[in-house]
Amino acid sequence: MLEKIHIFHTNDLHSHFEYWLRMQAFIKEQRQLLAGRGEASFLLDVGDHLDRSNIFTEATLGKGNVEMLNMASYDVVTIGNNEGITLAFDDLSALYEGADFDVVVANLRALTGENPSWLKPYTILTTMHGTTIGVIGATAQYDAFYRTLNWEVTEPRKALILLVQTLRQEVDLIVCLSHLGISEDELLANECPDIDVILGAHTHHTLPEGKVVNGVLLTGGGKFGQYTGHLTISYSHAEKQVMSLEEQLIENGQLATVPGEAEFLFGLSKKGSSLMGDPVIQLPKTYYKEWFHYSPLSDLFAEAVFDYTGADCLMFNAGIFVEDLKKGYVSPYDMHKILPHPINLCLIELTGAELKEMYVQAQNEEWWQLQLKGLGFRGVVLGKLLLYNLKMDRQRQLFLNGEIVVPTQTYTLATLDLFTFGYFFPSFKYAKKYYYLPAFLRDILLSYLQKSRS
């Protein structure tokens, strides 16, 4: 017997719900048609379904996303970094308590205390003809972030390979939910050809028909709900092996519209704003933003960061401020509109020589116009890199609060976590760092305003 098995898969939605209704209507219709033909189908998600830059997700701390996954009848999901490191330990532990689906993450466990009941390394799906599919999953290894949040995240490929060695004799097929990125997927395929399919995510790559590496099919469905993946597996019961794997990406923007899409999106926004709309402070004046200059809002934010971290100096980009902080009553919803980014502060220890190198690099005006996508940034342009407590004279001598910076002395710089991954300042990647989690920039500014005006 040659059995056809279908796997629909999504990834990196990041709480972009513009196509949610139509894509789920399409998947539901397809699954009903397949069931009528006696063909099994499953629905999987490969992480970063939630993103706290979305007001509905923020207001419900991701619980609203889980309700959506339940209503869409997902079978299995894994977590991405947006689930894993943008929620406090207790919030992530409670996130999937009401889930009607399995959550598989092979490389995560609590540092102290018990693991949440939903956390499992794998699950096994079974078709109506008895074919068993081992579904394993892993998430990207942001060790410093997870450890600060009381989680231990281990090397994902090692964890997955050990799982495969255990499962291979127990199941007919192995499907991996990989929130690791395309490079890691290729390495995993080369090291572990016993996996049949790696459903990919994290790097937002697009593989319209998949990519075969060492006999393993790799997939990638872009980001923000652009695509739904449809994998068709032909499995021979007589030969007990996969005969073919066919991957197709469906462009969700081209699917038939569904009545009520605009109302659906408005309803999510309205619910989020309602949950977060109670005013918590009143301001006597407006703090205006500037994307290419210092501004009253950036000066206020700098005050908050100095107060929060006790750093010697600061560096952040002016583009983090999406809106002005307006006079009058201010609610958490207002603050979210100003600073929607799931970004944390980081304290870095740098020598005076490294501090000077950073100062010079920060003058690169080409960065200011950069329309940055990712790294937690949810603004329009990166904007001017603003430096506080640091000045350089015409002789290129650096001063901190009027004192000459000593090249061999150690100083503390408070900055945003997006600058610590090596893309802008390579030396930051290997410097001694402390991440302030789980508070976001908006939390720190709002807390400072409440404290300073109480």
Side-chain angles (χ1 to χ4, degrees):
M1 174 186 173
L2 190 64
E3 182 181 5
K4 287 285 184 70
I5 304 166
H6 302 265
I7 294 178
F8 294 92
H9 55 96
T10 57
N11 63 275
D12 295 289
L13 194 81
H14 285 273
S15 294
H16 280 254
F17 302 122
E18 292 84 358
Y19 301 138
W20 181 256
L21 290 185
R22 71 180 68 174
M23 66 190 282
Q24 294 306 326
F26 168 80
I27 293 169
K28 182 178 180 180
E29 179 184 36
Q30 294 299 306
R31 295 187 73 181
Q32 288 174 341
L33 290 172
L34 294 168
R37 300 207 306 249
E39 298 179 10
S41 68
F42 302 97
L43 179 54
L44 316 179
D45 185 80
V46 200
D48 275 2
H49 186 275
L50 68 79
D51 191 311
R52 289 182 62 182
S53 63
N54 178 281
I55 191 64
F56 172 73
T57 296
E58 173 74 353
T60 63
L61 289 176
K63 286 281 193 176
N65 294 68
V66 173
E67 290 177 10
M68 287 186 178
L69 292 166
N70 279 342
M71 291 178 66
S73 299
Y74 274 75
D75 295 291
V76 191
V77 310
T78 193
I79 70 167
N81 45 289
N82 275 272
E83 286 88 6
I85 62 175
T86 70
L87 293 169
F89 178 84
D90 289 343
D91 293 327
L92 177 56
S93 294
L95 179 62
Y96 298 106
E97 286 178 344
D100 297 331
F101 47 84
D102 289 326
V103 184
V104 293
V105 197
N107 64 326
L108 185 70
R109 58 177 172 262
L111 266 176
T112 59
E114 295 184 358
N115 288 330
S117 59
W118 52 259
L119 181 62
K120 57 181 66 175
Y122 71 92
T123 191
I124 297 176
L125 303 175
T126 306
T127 72
M128 67 277 284
H129 298 294
T131 303
T132 52
I133 305 168
V135 183
I136 60 179
T139 196
Q141 190 180 7
Y142 289 99
D143 186 68
F145 289 85
Y146 276 109
R147 189 164 292 275
T148 304
L149 291 167
N150 193 41
W151 297 103
E152 181 181 14
V153 60
T154 59
E155 204 287 313
R157 275 185 283 128
K158 182 177 180 181
L160 291 169
I161 290 169
L162 287 173
L163 260 185
V164 172
Q165 291 171 351
T166 301
L167 278 177
R168 186 69 270 187
Q169 302 306 313
E170 297 181 21
V171 297
D172 300 308
L173 303 163
I174 293 181
V175 173
C176 176
L177 306 185
S178 166
H179 199 90
L180 306 176
I182 182 63
S183 297
E184 284 292 313
D185 291 352
E186 291 173 349
L187 290 170
L188 178 60
N190 278 311
E191 292 181 29
C192 191
D194 281 338
I195 297 174
D196 293 290
V197 181
I198 298 174
L199 302 181
H202 187 47
T203 43
H204 301 171
H205 53 284
T206 303
L207 299 174
E209 296 179 353
K211 176 182 179 181
V212 178
V213 175
N214 196 28
V216 181
L217 180 68
L218 277 54
T219 76
K223 62 180 179 179
F224 301 167
Q226 295 169 308
Y227 300 99
T228 296
H230 179 190
L231 171 67
T232 303
I233 304 170
S234 294
Y235 181 77
S236 172
H237 285 257
E239 301 185 36
K240 294 191 177 298
Q241 67 177 21
V242 175
M243 304 307 292
S244 68
L245 296 166
E246 297 179 11
E247 167 72 355
Q248 176 190 12
L249 287 184
I250 295 98
E251 190 172 353
N252 292 324
Q254 299 301 312
L255 295 174
T257 59
V258 174
E261 287 184 333
E263 293 81 1
F264 169 72
L265 294 173
F266 177 76
L268 295 180
S269 178
K270 185 177 180 180
K271 181 174 182 179
S273 61
S274 174
L275 290 170
M276 298 178 62
D278 291 338
V280 294
I281 193 170
Q282 186 176 13
L283 298 180
K285 66 176 183 178
T286 294
Y287 293 86
Y288 294 98
K289 66 171 175 58
E290 294 281 353
W291 287 343
F292 304 106
H293 304 280
Y294 291 84
S295 68
L297 185 51
S298 71
D299 292 345
L300 176 66
F301 181 71
E303 289 178 24
V305 177
F306 275 125
D307 179 74
Y308 192 78
T309 65
D312 295 322
C313 49
L314 313 180
M315 188 273 291
F316 57 88
N317 59 302
I320 59 172
F321 307 110
V322 178
E323 295 185 4
D324 299 325
L325 177 54
K326 295 178 181 177
K327 174 183 176 180
Y329 289 105
V330 178
S331 68
Y333 172 65
D334 298 318
M335 197 62 72
H336 187 278
K337 290 192 295 181
I338 296 166
L339 289 163
H341 329 276
I343 290 176
N344 305 102
L345 286 177
C346 180
L347 193 70
I348 307 180
E349 292 187 7
L350 299 172
T351 65
E354 292 170 328
L355 204 57
K356 184 175 182 179
E357 179 186 29
M358 179 276 296
Y359 187 97
V360 173
Q361 289 175 312
Q363 308 311 309
N364 184 355
E365 295 185 13
E366 293 181 1
W367 287 353
W368 301 1
Q369 297 286 350
L370 183 63
Q371 296 182 8
L372 180 64
K373 304 296 181 185
L375 302 179
F377 184 69
R378 303 295 185 259
V380 179
V381 293
L382 189 69
K384 179 181 175 70
L385 297 188
L386 307 178
L387 297 148
Y388 283 86
N389 279 7
L390 292 173
K391 295 290 183 183
M392 183 174 283
D393 64 15
R394 293 183 179 180
Q395 287 72 46
R396 296 177 64 81
Q397 181 66 58
L398 186 63
F399 293 82
L400 192 154
N401 274 339
E403 299 289 331
I404 293 176
V405 170
V406 180
T408 56
Q409 186 171 324
T410 299
Y411 301 88
T412 55
L413 171 76
T415 189
L416 314 183
D417 61 23
L418 70 91
F419 292 115
T420 67
F421 303 123
Y423 297 103
F424 295 94
F425 303 97
S427 62
F428 286 10
K429 187 174 183 179
Y430 304 103
K432 185 177 180 180
K433 296 183 286 288
Y434 175 78
Y435 292 100
Y436 294 91
L437 302 172
F440 289 143
L441 308 182
R442 54 182 173 266
D443 303 319
I444 291 165
L445 179 55
L446 184 57
S447 176
Y448 176 75
L449 288 170
Q450 291 175 301
K451 181 175 71 172
S452 61
R453 283 155 177 78
S454 60

